[in-house]
């Protein structure tokens, strides 16, 4: 007879002895005596309110739909999030459908993360943000059970985090100036180009600040020769790197550009998951890793290692997200050359607080898991 079974019978027997002061069988004193119940997943849709209308090369919006997740086990709760900007194809409806179909109660040991996340990844193709919402919640849960933040578990030095860039959207000149003022604490500003008035936009920013800039074209340029000419001009204007200048499927043109460009060329839309990293070698100088594209912290960690082993640099980026997904991504920031983790700073209804930006630098907290608290 196994120990668990003996204990079970002993406790059951005690309960049958009426009239004695008996220990109650509570969940905490049952722990270790009975099989742990499986992981409990819950989720709810939430709409992020943006402080400013967010304008990209071909769309603009004032809200971003997200799904907030929780995984509970052994009295611990891990928090996760799926952020789903509409142009990426996921929605609260698709995430709800994906998460409902999962059966995490079959897993009784949350430390079997590889097994659990493989199951989640294989449940359906795509759904990368929904998958990330499970991955983040599971990491948060495990970190809390271990009592350590993930940057420590991975062995990273928290002081090695980069400065984060802060995005200034395309807008009228006076609004841009106001946004630059609001961005006073940030050391590097990111601007979105790829529209008809790129030089004008840079000139407007430059009339308001002399801070270093980085540029995200979001595939908005069409011609590699013109792109190279523009990049030379941008270098003179104090730009430090250029993200996804040409359409993502134009691999040869990006390789041509990267070879000649005076500034690093970073792949973003072209690089989604671990399997894309190898394809980026010789095509880009670096890659932009985002949890919502790559299914979460587990795969992002692998991508960073592979990119560095392939002599590419790494930017850790984000969508518009709450402090949940941002704090999760920030755990990886000590290993990244650049960070673009401003998604939570662009919203007015963040339900969590977590990683802080102090004088523009990502400042990790010594809190277990991903280090967030509900507000
Ligand atoms: Mg980008």
């Amino acid at each position: 007879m196994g120990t668990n079974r003996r204990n079970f019978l002993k406790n059951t027997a005690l309960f049958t002895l009426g009239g004695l002061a008996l220990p109650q069988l509570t969940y905490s004193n049952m722990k270790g005596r009975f099989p742990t119940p499986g992981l409990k997943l819950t989720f709810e849709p939430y709409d992020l309110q943006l402080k400013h209308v967010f304008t990209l090369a071909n769309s603009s919006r004032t809200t971003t739909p997200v799904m907030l997740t929780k995984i509970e086990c052994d009295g611990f709760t891990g928090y996760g999030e799926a952020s789903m900007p509409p142009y990426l194809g996921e929605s609260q409806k698709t995430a709800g459908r994906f998460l409902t179909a999962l059966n995490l109660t079959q897993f009784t040991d949350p430390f079997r993360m590889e097994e659990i996340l493989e199951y989640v990844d294989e449940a359906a193709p795509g759904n990368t943000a929904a998958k990330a919402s499970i991955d983040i919640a599971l990491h948060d849960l495990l970190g809390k059970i271990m009592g350590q933040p993930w940057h420590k578990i991975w062995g990273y030095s928290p002081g090695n985090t980069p400065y984060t860039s802060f995005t200034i959207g395309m807008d009228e000149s006076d609004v841009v100036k106001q946004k630059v003022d609001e961005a006073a604490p940030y050391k590097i500003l990111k601007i979105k180009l790829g529209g008809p008035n790129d030089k004008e936009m840079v000139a407007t920013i430059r009339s308001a600040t002399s801070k270093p800039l980085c540029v995200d074209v979001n595939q908005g340029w069409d011609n590699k020769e013109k792109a190279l000419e523009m990049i030379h001009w941008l270098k003179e204007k104090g730009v430090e790197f250029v993200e996804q200048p040409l359409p993502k499927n134009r691999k040869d043109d990006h390789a041509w550009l990267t070879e000649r460009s005076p500034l690093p060329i970073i792949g973003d839309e072209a690089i989604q998951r671990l399997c894309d990293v190898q394809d980026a070698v010789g095509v880009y100088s670096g890659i932009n890793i985002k949890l919502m594209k790559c299914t979460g912290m587990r795969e992002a960690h692998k991508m960073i290692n592979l990119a560095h082993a392939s002599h590419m640099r790494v930017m850790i980026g984000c969508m518009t997200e709450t402090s949940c997904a941002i704090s999760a991504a920030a755990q990886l920031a000590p290993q990244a050359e650049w960070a673009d983790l401003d998604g939570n700073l662009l919203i007015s209804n963040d339900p969590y607080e977590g990683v802080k930006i102090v004088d523009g630098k990502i400042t990790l907290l010594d809190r277990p898991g991903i280090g967030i608290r509900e507000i």
Side-chain angles (χ1 to χ4, degrees), residues 190 192 216 218 243-244 268-269 288 290 340:
K190 178 166 172 172
K192 300 278 196 179
D216 191 352
N218 291 114
E243 215 178 304
Q244 202 69 64
D268 180 3
E269 285 87 343
N288 186 347
K290 295 176 182 168
D340 181 28

Side-chain angles (χ1 to χ4, degrees), residues 246-277:
L246 302 165
K248 62 180 179 183
N249 56 353
R250 303 247 298 262
K251 214 174 148 179
D252 292 347
D253 288 349
H254 276 109
W256 182 92
L257 199 54
T258 296
E259 206 185 323
R260 290 160 180 81
S261 171
L263 296 176
I265 306 291
I266 312 298
D268 180 3
E269 285 87 343
I271 316 299
Q272 305 286 317
R273 300 198 55 175
L274 181 63
C275 57
D276 301 318
V277 177

Side-chain angles (χ1 to χ4, degrees), residues 143-369:
K144 282 171 175 164
I145 295 172
M146 290 187 274
Q148 298 295 340
W150 270 94
H151 64 268
K152 273 197 176 179
I153 295 167
W154 280 321
Y156 299 162
S157 304
N160 286 352
T161 53
Y163 289 102
T164 185
S165 54
F166 184 86
T167 300
I168 310 276
M170 287 187 262
D171 222 314
E172 299 299 321
S173 163
D174 51 338
V175 182
V176 167
K177 282 182 180 157
Q178 185 203 328
K179 288 180 183 176
V180 168
D181 286 343
E182 284 173 26
Y186 304 97
K187 309 283 185 208
I188 176 161
L189 302 179
K190 178 166 172 172
I191 50 172
K192 300 278 196 179
L193 298 185
N197 310 313
D198 284 352
K199 286 194 175 176
E200 208 177 292
M201 174 79 183
V202 175
T204 306
I205 295 262
R206 271 289 163 252
S207 70
T209 179
S210 57
K211 283 180 184 174
L213 301 174
C214 54
V215 158
D216 191 352
V217 187
N218 291 114
Q219 317 179 68
W221 294 341
D222 190 46
N223 177 295
K224 65 181 180 186
E225 285 87 4
K226 277 188 189 162
L228 182 60
E229 209 179 293
M230 186 66 175
I231 292 168
H232 277 285
W233 183 82
L234 290 171
K235 187 176 191 291
E236 281 170 29
K237 300 291 170 193
V239 170
E240 301 208 328
F241 60 83
V242 174
E243 215 178 304
Q244 202 69 64
L246 302 165
K248 62 180 179 183
N249 56 353
R250 303 247 298 262
K251 214 174 148 179
D252 292 347
D253 288 349
H254 276 109
W256 182 92
L257 199 54
T258 296
E259 206 185 323
R260 290 160 180 81
S261 171
L263 296 176
I265 306 291
I266 312 298
D268 180 3
E269 285 87 343
I271 316 299
Q272 305 286 317
R273 300 198 55 175
L274 181 63
C275 57
D276 301 318
V277 177
Q278 212 87 89
D279 288 343
V281 178
V283 179
Y284 297 99
S285 334
I287 60 170
N288 186 347
I289 298 174
K290 295 176 182 168
L291 301 188
M292 296 303 142
K293 291 192 297 186
C294 76
T295 73
M297 297 165 74
R298 167 177 168 263
E299 190 151 321
H301 183 236
K302 293 180 183 182
M303 289 174 79
I304 291 177
N305 291 338
L306 182 55
H308 283 161
S310 311
H311 307 289
M312 286 187 292
R313 284 177 271 183
V314 166
M315 180 195 303
I316 183 93
C318 64
M319 310 295 175
T320 316
E321 297 164 356
T322 75
S323 286
C324 175
I326 295 293
S327 299
Q331 303 299 316
L332 294 151
Q335 288 299 95
E337 281 75 25
W338 300 292
D340 181 28
L341 293 179
D342 63 351
N344 58 334
L345 307 168
L346 307 174
I347 61 172
S348 57
N349 61 340
D350 193 341
Y352 305 108
E353 59 98 4
V355 67
K356 303 279 181 284
I357 307 297
V358 180
D359 291 331
K361 191 173 157 71
I362 293 168
T363 307
L364 291 161
L365 303 171
D366 196 9
R367 288 183 191 165

